């Protein structure tokens, strides 16, 4: 079966057509104007993944803590990642780069602070 | 009231001011001081907690606070003073800056050079003339972003976003991730001015519908917002009767354009461009007042902070150069917007040109398979092809000084031409 | 629960505040009941801010008499209250030949009412005064005595002065019914309480006829007439310095173009009869009408610099005049009803008269001492550099600029919360200090203003409102939203 997706690597935004097998596996792509587009199409149809950034409350600080995943996580795990973040309890001080949750939900990605809080 | 002197004074410690300060300091011509109205440096990046910053400059994708911290760390390393919680009230023609803070009272600072880096503000509802009630629950997207990311409060539960520029798209995702329900993003133009990646990652990922060629035509709610009406618009951007859709929402976020914040600039009597709403500058980023420079969003609204930093490094070096060599009244050639081009900066170039000149502009429309052409008196100086030019992406081209020698006329035109 | 006061005033708009302030000169317990969250939440905050000279009202009407008297009082009133007043003058312009007799008729009417220094200017004279007026102008009536004020700032100052002299203001008190008791007292039932009083003063604005009709057999009919406006940004060179009126014509009332006392430009109002007196929405049709009509005065009109739109509801009686004074068939009821234009201009005189009538009726002695109103801090933006430096050293929070567009400091905002009738909401701070009234419309300062209100009143930040009731700014904390079930489905 065929699926249409837009590449997000650069502003051209090539409209690509992806051919998937009966089981939904990636078979081929057309419409891309560079190899990065093909790679994106493959990833997006096999296992779409995203970086997640969020703010979470921190005990002892009026300002919330901004965090990010250290690498992209599967897109369909985003709600579960936010669920884990809603349950985390941390307090000041926090330093930029500090690991808040290691290997969140066994994704291989850590949750990392993107700022310091005193 | 205290009076003091500095060599280079920079207004604003956002990414523009910080980069300008670093570059100016590294020229070692004198003292540098940065004045910032917030409690901490970093500017708007402090609240831009999403990633996507620094891909060009640092070859990695950072979040806003991480990008800002790199410059803040460098500022501390170099020992450049940054006075926070200090608001500049006026900048005068003779480069005297009046500012106030709780800690230091009223200060009058005499500078040899001033770099304006005040950034921009958001267009409010009044500028849209949207009819309806004046209820609570209407925010500009940046104000809502500040509440969520810096203050820890959610502005509302059921959200509609007016404007599909990047700030609106980012807030669609932010509100959704943090637990609100975003019902729609509404855009008056037939295209989004935001990046494709944001359309995918902020709207499509969360099944948030994007209504192009639509706008908000009514706002309801006596005390807090209760609902809005969205209508399609015609080619003249006028609402089409009979196309109304009602949304039951308690929050409306407005992402309808950024306006450079040039009150201080106007107060100094500096010439402002009606197209960019920023100062008219030459290729050294010097305004119509010798020794006063402008860079970053206060000069023209950028889309990538990496380019803000580049531009601001140039402004810092230019200010240092001005102090070193003094002001020599130059001859200029004008830079004009040709067809398909809006808001080219700088608006004039010194001749004879010794250094490469960076020209920045926004395409007036979406151009596929086109070229940017720079010409002078009918003679083509430069032609550069690209697969796409879009209003959402500022274009930067560099003119080598050789191109600017022996020109047939005193103005050059920048335009876009379809191949 | 029952509450006793000598005098109950219904309504804390400009009229109610003027009456309350005059009544506070006497020894009597006075309570003002206001349905909204703050002073001046009705028509008082949504009008043209003009103190009319008095040429427009029909001679012999209460409108004419009170306008003339009130207008004469305003300059010294504003000076004593430390609120702004500017006598910028007005022009009623004739834009076609048919308008000329109308302009001349207004001059005669003005003379009959006792307005001074009226003159008719010819085309050239008009354009030399106001070059931006349409070149179609034939002539204009020049009214040098016309002025502009800030109606809500004036109301706040009157209320503060009344409050320091014992007047009690109670908000969120909507009068549901009023009854004249056999002993001559009144019983007034609100959504929260029942109040009894010896004298009842009806300054209830849009509800004035309703209240009256519950107590009197001489029924009044009120029509609620909405007016929509544009408010444009300040410019370095203002487009107009005079208030410019159009002549009424068979097409309807014209709209005005007027500077405000703070240097903005006002366009409007429309005049639409509406059924719901609380419907202060603006409409596409109404706003279009304002632009169309204003463009006749100002052909180069652009609303690019518009910073907000708003509308107000006029309390228009079908008898087309004010009702001021004691109610004939209800002794003890004193009224100011139908206070549409020139209501603002008339308020000081209405307040004076009603208070005197009530004082005679109750045989009241003067209050001694009658206290001066505690002075507000001088706006930081109006200080010299030396004064600014001095202010910051005596109170460092003057160095913390909260509203960048209007240059309003933390000190002034805190002071606004702590006035005798102080601000408790974002709009309350806005109207007392101008924080949030500038070109960014609170985009920058609103979070900071809300924080100060929270800190000074003890309200948690997510309970701070725009203007009371359900107008909360925020819906909850990031923490509470994260922990709600809906996030992770």
């Amino acid at each position: 079966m065929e699926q249409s997706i837009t590449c997000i690597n650069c502003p051209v935004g090539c409209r690509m057509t992806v051919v998937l097998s009966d089981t939904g596996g990636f078979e081929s792509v057309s419409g891309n104007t560079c190899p990065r587009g093909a790679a994106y199409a493959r990833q997006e149809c096999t296992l779409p993944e995203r970086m997640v950034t969020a703010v979470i409350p921190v005990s002892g600080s009026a300002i919330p803590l901004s965090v990010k995943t250290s690498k992209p996580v599967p897109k369909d795990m985003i709600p579960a990642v936010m669920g884990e973040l809603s349950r985390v309890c941390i307090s000041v001080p926090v330093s930029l780069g500090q690991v808040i949750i290691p290997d969140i939900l066994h994704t291989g990605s850590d949750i990392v602070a993107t700022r310091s809080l005193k | 009231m205290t009076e003091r002197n500095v060599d280079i004074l920079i207004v604003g410690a956002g990414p523009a001011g910080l980069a300008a300060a670093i570059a100016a300091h590294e020229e070692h011509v004198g003292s540098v001081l940065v004045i910032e109205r917030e409690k901490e440096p970093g500017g708007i990046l402090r609240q831009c907690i999403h990633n996507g910053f620094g891909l060009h400059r640092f070859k990695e994708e950072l979040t806003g606070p991480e990008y800002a911290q790199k410059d803040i760390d460098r500022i501390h390393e170099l020992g450049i003073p940054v006075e926070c919680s200090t608001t500049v009230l006026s900048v005068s023609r003779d480069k005297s800056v009046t500012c106030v803070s709780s800690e230091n009272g009223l200060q009058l600072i005499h500078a040899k050079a001033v770099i304006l880096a005040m950034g921009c503000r958001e267009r409010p509802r009044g500028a849209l003339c949207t009819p309806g009630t004046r209820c609570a629950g209407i925010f500009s997207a940046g104000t809502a972003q500040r509440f969520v990311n810096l203050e820890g409060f959610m502005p509302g539960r059921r959200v509609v976003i007016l404007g599909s520029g990047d700030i609106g798209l980012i807030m669609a995702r932010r509100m959704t991730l943090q637990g609100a329900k975003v019902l729609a993003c509404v855009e008056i133009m037939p295209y989004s001015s935001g990046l494709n990646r944001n359309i995918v990652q902020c709207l499509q990922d969360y099944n948030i519908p994007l209504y192009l060629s639509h706008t908000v035509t009514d706002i309801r709610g006596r005390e807090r917002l209760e609902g809005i009406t969205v209508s399609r618009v015609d080619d003249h951007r006028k609402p089409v009767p009979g196309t109304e859709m009602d949304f039951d929402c308690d929050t409306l976020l407005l992402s309808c354009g950024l306006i450079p914040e040039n009150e201080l600039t106007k107060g100094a009597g500096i010439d402002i461009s009606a197209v960019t709403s920023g100062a008219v500058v030459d290729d050294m980023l010097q305004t119509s007042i010798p020794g006063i420079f402008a860079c970053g969003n206060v000069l023209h609204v950028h889309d990538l902070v990496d380019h803000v930093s580049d531009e601001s490094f140039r402004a810092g070096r230019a200010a240092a150069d001005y102090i070193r060599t003094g002001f020599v009244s130059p001859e200029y050639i004008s830079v004009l917007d040709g067809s398909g081009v809006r808001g080219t900066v700088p608006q004039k170039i010194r001749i004879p040109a010794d250094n490469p000149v960076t020209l920045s502009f926004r395409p007036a429309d979406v151009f596929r398979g086109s070229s940017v052409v720079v010409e002078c008196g009918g003679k083509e100086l430069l032609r550069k092809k690209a697969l796409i030019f879009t209003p959402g992406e500022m274009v930067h081209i560099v003119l080598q000084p050789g191109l600017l020698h022996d020109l047939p006329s005193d103005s050059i035109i920048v335009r876009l031409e379809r191949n | 629960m029952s509450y006793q006061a000598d005098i109950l005033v219904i309504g804390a708009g400009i009229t109610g505040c003027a009456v309350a302030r005059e009544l506070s000169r006497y020894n009597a317990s006075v309570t003002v009941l206001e349905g909204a969250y703050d002073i001046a939440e009705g028509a008082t905050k949504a009008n043209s801010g003009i103190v009319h000279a008095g040429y427009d009202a029909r001679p012999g009407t209460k409108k004419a008499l009170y306008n003339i008297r009130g207008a004469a009082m305003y300059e010294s009133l504003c000076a004593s209250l430390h609120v702004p007043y500017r006598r910028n003058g007005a022009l009623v312009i004739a834009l076609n030949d048919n308008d000329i007799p109308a302009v001349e008729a207004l001059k005669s009417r003005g003379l009959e009412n006792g307005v001074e220094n009226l003159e008719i200017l010819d085309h050239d004279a008009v354009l030399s005064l106001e070059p931006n007026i349409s070149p179609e102008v034939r002539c204009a009536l020049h009214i040098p005595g016309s002025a502009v004020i800030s109606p809500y700032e004036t109301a706040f100052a009157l209320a503060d002065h009344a409050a320091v002299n014992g007047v009690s203001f109670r908000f969120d008190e909507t009068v549901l019914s009023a009854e004249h008791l056999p002993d001559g007292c009144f019983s007034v039932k609100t959504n929260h309480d029942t109040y009894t009083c010896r004298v009842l003063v009806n300054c209830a604005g849009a509800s004035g006829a309703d209240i009256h009709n519950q107590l009197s057999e001489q029924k009044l009919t009120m029509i609620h007439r909405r007016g929509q406006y544009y408010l444009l940004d300040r410019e370095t060179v203002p487009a107009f310095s005079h208030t410019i009126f159009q002549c009424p014509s068979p097409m309807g009332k014209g709209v005005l173009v007027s500077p405000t006392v703070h240097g903005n430009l006002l366009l409007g109002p429309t005049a639409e009869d509406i059924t719901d007196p609380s419907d202060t929405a603006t409409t596409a049709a109404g706003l279009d009408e304002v632009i169309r009509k204003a463009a006749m005065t100002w052909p180069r009109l652009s609303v690019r610099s518009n910073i907000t739109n708003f509308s107000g509801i006029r309390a228009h009686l079908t008898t087309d005049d004010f009702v001021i004074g004691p109610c004939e068939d209800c002794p003890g009821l004193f009224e100011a009803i139908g206070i549409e234009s020139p209501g603002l201009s008339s308020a000081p005189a209405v307040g004076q008269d009603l208070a005197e009538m009530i004082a005679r009726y109750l045989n009241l002695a003067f209050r001694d001492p009658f206290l001066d109103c505690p002075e507000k801090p001088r706006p930081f933006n109006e200080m010299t550099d030396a004064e600014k430096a001095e202010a910051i050293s005596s109170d460092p929070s003057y160095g913390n600029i909260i509203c960048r567009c209007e240059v309003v400091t933390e000190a002034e905002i805190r002071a606004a919360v702590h006035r005798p009738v102080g601000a408790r909401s974002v709009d309350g701070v806005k109207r007392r200090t101008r924080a949030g009234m500038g070109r960014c419309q609170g985009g920058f300062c609103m979070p900071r203003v809300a924080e100060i209100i929270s800190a000074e009143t003890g309200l948690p930040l997510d309970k701070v409102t725009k203007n009371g009731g359900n107008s909360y700014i925020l819906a909850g904390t990031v923490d509470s939203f994260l922990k709600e079930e809906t996030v992770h489905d």
Side-chain angles (χ1 to χ4, degrees), chain B residues 1 37-38 85 87-89 98 100-102 105-106 121-122 124-127 129-137 139-140 143 146-148 151-157 177-180 218-219 222-224 250 261 263-264 274 277, chain C residues 230 276 278-279 281-284 287 303 306-310 380 385 388-389 392 396-397 399-401 404 407 430 439-441 443-444 446-448 451 461-462 466 468-478 481-482 484 486-487:
Chain B
M1 166 144 116
R37 69 185 174 190
E38 293 279 344
S85 303
T87 305
V88 172
L89 295 181
T98 306
V100 292
S101 70
S102 297
L106 186 93
R121 60 182 169 88
E122 295 176 280
R125 171 197 177 172
C129 305
T130 305
T133 61
R134 297 171 84 201
C135 46
F139 302 82
S140 56
T143 307
R146 186 191 170 95
F147 270 123
V148 178
E151 316 249 355
F153 286 91
M154 292 291 281
R157 299 184 173 280
L177 283 177
Q178 305 288 154
D218 193 25
I219 292 175
R222 285 297 154 79
E223 296 173 335
R224 175 80 191 198
D250 69 358
E261 205 175 319
E263 306 322 311
L264 296 176
S277 300
Chain C
Y230 280 82
D276 177 358
S278 65
D279 184 4
T282 51
T283 64
L287 295 180
V303 292
N306 189 49
I307 54 180
T308 195
N309 300 98
F310 62 90
F380 186 79
D385 280 357
K388 284 176 178 155
I392 300 174
S397 69
N400 189 11
I401 308 286
R404 207 232 74 83
V407 195
K430 179 175 84 165
R439 51 190 60 90
C440 89
Q441 287 287 286
F444 174 71
M446 194 260 280
R448 296 160 178 76
E451 269 160 21
L461 195 61
D462 53 353
K466 183 175 187 286
N470 202 35
S471 67
Y472 59 91
I473 305 287
L474 301 167
T477 59
V478 160
F481 268 71
L482 277 176
E484 277 168 27
T486 44
V487 178

Side-chain angles (χ1 to χ4, degrees), chain B residues 27-41:
Chain B
E27 297 290 314
H28 301 296
V29 295
S31 55
V32 175
L33 171 67
V34 187
I35 308 247
E36 165 58 47
R37 69 185 174 190
E38 293 279 344
K39 293 186 189 127
E40 288 178 33

Side-chain angles (χ1 to χ4, degrees), chain B residues 49-314:
Chain B
I49 65 147
H50 51 283
N51 63 313
F53 302 92
L55 190 54
H56 296 248
R57 188 176 163 203
F58 298 113
K59 305 291 182 275
E60 52 174 324
E61 269 200 11
L62 301 170
T63 61
E66 289 169 314
Y67 186 105
Q69 196 60 42
K70 290 198 183 276
D71 286 331
I72 294 168
D73 287 345
R74 186 86 183 114
I75 290 269
H76 285 147
E77 254 172 64
L78 297 173
I80 301 172
V82 179
E83 279 182 28
C84 290
S85 303
T86 305
T87 305
V88 172
L89 295 181
S90 65
V91 174
S92 73
R93 293 195 77 86
D94 64 356
K95 301 184 279 285
S96 300
V97 173
T98 306
C99 57
V100 292
S101 70
S102 297
E103 200 178 308
N104 298 321
L106 186 93
Q107 297 187 77
L108 179 59
I109 307 179
H110 303 287
K112 292 188 183 152
V114 175
I115 305 178
L116 303 173
M118 293 87 75
C120 58
R121 60 182 169 88
E122 295 176 280
R123 182 167 280 122
R125 171 197 177 172
L128 310 174
C129 305
T130 305
T133 61
R134 297 171 84 201
C135 46
I138 302 171
F139 302 82
S140 56
T143 307
Q145 191 182 54
R146 186 191 170 95
F147 270 123
V148 178
N149 296 341
L150 288 184
E151 316 249 355
F153 286 91
M154 292 291 281
R157 299 184 173 280
R158 291 176 60 82
V159 185
V160 174
I161 312 220
L162 176 58
S164 67
D166 287 318
I167 306 177
L169 300 177
I170 292 292
M171 280 310 287
R173 179 175 61 184
R174 179 57 46 222
M175 293 297 284
T176 305
L177 283 177
Q178 305 288 154
K181 173 88 182 138
V182 178
L183 303 171
C185 181
V186 177
E187 166 60 53
I188 197 171
M189 299 300 277
Y191 53 79
S192 164
S193 61
L195 298 170
N196 271 329
R197 73 181 310 178
N198 286 333
I199 303 278
V200 171
Q201 297 189 344
C202 301
L203 298 184
Q204 288 176 9
D205 275 7
Y206 302 97
N207 298 314
I208 298 170
L210 171 63
Y211 294 97
L212 295 175
S213 299
H214 281 69
T215 194
V216 174
T217 47
D218 193 25
I219 292 175
R220 287 181 296 285
R222 285 297 154 79
E223 296 173 335
R224 175 80 191 198
L225 180 66
E226 288 164 43
I228 62 164
T229 302
V230 170
S231 307
R232 190 161 46 81
V233 299
D234 61 24
D235 292 338
H236 302 285
R237 306 213 275 281
K238 296 280 173 258
V240 176
T243 64
E244 295 84 11
M245 293 182 284
D246 284 347
F247 289 89
D248 159 25
C249 57
D250 69 358
T251 308
L252 177 62
L253 300 188
L254 306 176
S255 171
C256 299
L258 296 173
I259 304 166
E261 205 175 319
N262 276 300
E263 306 322 311
L264 296 176
T265 319
K266 288 181 202 162
I270 290 170
D271 293 342
I272 305 269
S273 155
V275 181
T276 60
S277 300
V280 172
V281 293
D282 66 15
D283 54 302
M284 305 293 280
L285 300 174
Q286 180 168 259
T287 67
S288 57
I289 293 181
I292 302 188
F293 301 79
C295 58
N297 279 349
V298 80
L299 176 59
H300 52 162
V301 175
H302 287 254
D303 30 73
L304 284 186
V305 73
D306 308 61
H307 294 138
V308 167
S309 302
D310 278 342
E311 183 175 87
S312 306
F313 287 137
R314 285 188 278 123

Side-chain angles (χ1 to χ4, degrees), chain C residues 258-331:
Chain C
S258 180
T260 67
V261 77
H262 289 294
N264 294 93
L265 201 64
L266 208 55
L267 310 175
T270 52
E272 330 130 48
D273 293 353
I274 57 173
T275 44
D276 177 358
S278 65
D279 184 4
T280 53
T282 51
T283 64
L287 295 180
D288 280 346
E289 186 187 327
V290 171
I291 294 189
R292 252 188 315 109
K293 289 183 173 174
M296 291 179 354
T297 294
W298 186 18
R300 286 210 298 277
L301 163 62
S302 157
V303 292
R304 263 192 86 204
S305 65
N306 189 49
I307 54 180
T308 195
N309 300 98
F310 62 90
S311 76
I313 313 295
R314 303 170 184 81
H316 171 79
L317 290 174
T318 49
T319 46
D320 203 22
D321 197 8
F322 296 155
V323 167
I324 310 275
C327 181
E328 276 179 19
D329 63 347
C330 185

Side-chain angles (χ1 to χ4, degrees), chain C residues 2 17 20 25 94 121 133 166 192 228 231 234 274 330 354 383 395 405 408 452 467:
Chain C
S2 216
C17 291
R25 297 181 190 278
L121 303 177
I133 290 183
H192 291 307
Q228 305 186 35
L231 183 72
R234 280 195 290 267
I274 57 173
C330 185
L354 284 181
M383 297 181 187
D395 179 357
C405 299
V408 182
I452 296 173
N467 55 4

